[in-house]
Every structure is written in structure tokens, then in C-alpha cells.
Amino acid sequence: MIHEMPKLPYDMEALAPKMSKETFDYHYGKHLQTYVNNLNKFIAGTEFENMNLEDIIRNAQGPTFNNAAQTWNHTFFFMSLTPEQKEIPSTLSDKINSTFGSVEKFKEEFTKSALGVFGSGWTWLVKDNENNLKIMNTANAGNPITEGFTPLMVIDVWEHAYYIDYRNNRAAFIDAFWSLVNWNKVAERL
């Protein structure tokens, strides 16, 4: 199985100025492309060659895991964004309200968690096997599916995700992220 670059559901200019085309040229066009290319090299002729991405993530280690997880994580991140944000569907807002107290409190907790990631990583909204919501961080290429969680939403807090547009100001990037979340996509995953 050859893994391919995901097709974005929007133009690379569509999220500007919050995420510029230059950021997409590097983050999507170079970083993600490198993970996809490396993944295909690492799995050729191995037991992972015909596995889907999630199965590779659950079973691989080392460079194969890192490139599979980064391919999955980045694809999930890019597919979770939209230039035309709509209101949060009630199924999702009701679940967030019952778990975190309010959507605003959820955003505060998620933001605090994302700001607290040391170095490179990800902040996720996930659900467990009992349909409970949780915010979690993973370092480097970490992915919640390895721990039995279902990812619903993610922010990439590796510096390459925001350095072109925000330099070292992760807080400004996170603030901009909130206006780009595709809440319908998050609700579909619930």
C-alpha cells in the first residue's frame, strides 16, 4: 500500500492571515510530504507494507512509527480546519458543557494544556471507550490511538506549525486556531 498526501478541503491560501500560504507550503507541502515519503520507504518490504495507517501506528516502533504517526497526526490536524467556521453543533456543545462546564472553560483548559507542552507535540480532545471526553498531550509523534482513545480534535504545537506566522508566540497561534476549528468535523467524530 502506498500512502499518499491528503488533499486539503480548502485552498492553501484560505486560512490566511491566521495560517499563511507560506506556512502551508512548509508545514503541509514539505513537513507532511517528508513524513509520507519516509513512511513509504520504511514500510517497503516489511510486515507494515499492506497495513493501513492506524494499524501501523498501533504496531510499529522507531522511525516507522514516527513517520506513520506524523502522517496521521498532520492529516488529522489539516482536515480539522476550515476557513468558514460554523457554530458548534449541539451534540458536541452539550457533551463539552457536561464534561468541562462550558465551551469557554473547555477552550481555556485546552489552551492551557497546549501552552504547557514542553518542546514539540500535540494537544488533543479525545473520547475514551465509555464516551467520556478528555484533553491530553502527546510528545513528538505521539498519538492517542496507541492508548485506546479516539481523537476528536488536535492542535499541532510543534514550532514548524506556527513559526513563520507567529515566530515563537505559541499563544497567538492557539488563539488564531480557535477561529479555524471545523466544529462540524469534530462533532462527526464524536
Side-chain angles (χ1 to χ4, degrees):
M1 173 183 302
I2 299 295
H3 296 276
E4 297 180 355
M5 284 286 285
K7 179 157 176 31
L8 293 172
Y10 44 80
D11 291 333
M12 290 200 309
E13 302 87 3
L15 304 184
K18 295 182 176 161
M19 285 189 203
S20 68
K21 182 182 181 303
E22 185 180 9
T23 288
F24 272 92
D25 286 341
Y26 283 92
H27 194 192
Y28 169 80
K30 298 202 183 318
H31 288 276
L32 178 52
Q33 183 69 69
T34 299
Y35 295 131
V36 171
N37 292 346
N38 286 340
L39 172 63
N40 287 320
K41 281 191 283 188
F42 287 128
I43 64 171
T46 73
E47 76 246 45
F48 304 111
E49 188 170 41
N50 294 312
M51 284 186 187
N52 68 38
L53 212 44
E54 289 187 9
D55 287 337
I56 296 171
I57 291 167
R58 287 185 185 100
N59 294 288
Q61 296 179 345
T64 301
F65 168 81
N66 288 335
N67 285 279
Q70 287 292 65
T71 296
W72 195 98
N73 294 356
H74 279 85
T75 299
F76 191 82
F77 172 70
F78 290 126
M79 297 303 159
S80 298
L81 304 174
T82 181
E84 297 173 9
Q85 188 179 63
K86 304 217 178 349
E87 284 189 39
I88 302 175
S90 61
T91 54
L92 178 60
S93 62
D94 290 349
K95 188 72 174 168
I96 288 173
N97 290 337
S98 70
T99 304
F100 299 99
S102 71
V103 171
E104 283 311 310
K105 285 183 183 173
F106 158 68
K107 288 181 177 180
E108 288 171 17
E109 284 187 43
F110 191 94
T111 296
K112 182 178 179 184
S113 192
L115 286 170
V117 172
F118 180 77
S120 299
W122 306 83
T123 297
W124 306 82
L125 173 66
V126 299
K127 71 176 179 177
D128 65 18
N129 291 333
E130 296 173 358
N131 211 31
N132 297 310
L133 299 184
K134 176 182 176 181
I135 296 169
M136 68 182 295
N137 293 332
T138 59
N140 301 318
N143 184 298
I145 64 175
T146 64
E147 298 179 44
F149 294 105
T150 301
L152 304 176
M153 186 179 91
V154 70
I155 186 170
D156 182 347
V157 291
W158 284 63
E159 281 191 343
H160 68 237
Y162 59 89
Y163 200 79
I164 290 170
D165 296 324
Y166 299 95
R167 299 298 181 245
N168 64 337
N169 191 346
R170 184 185 287 180
F173 169 66
I174 295 168
D175 186 55
F177 165 80
W178 287 118
S179 64
L180 300 174
V181 174
N182 186 338
W183 294 114
N184 289 336
K185 185 63 75 178
V186 179
E188 284 173 19
R189 298 168 179 152
L190 189 59

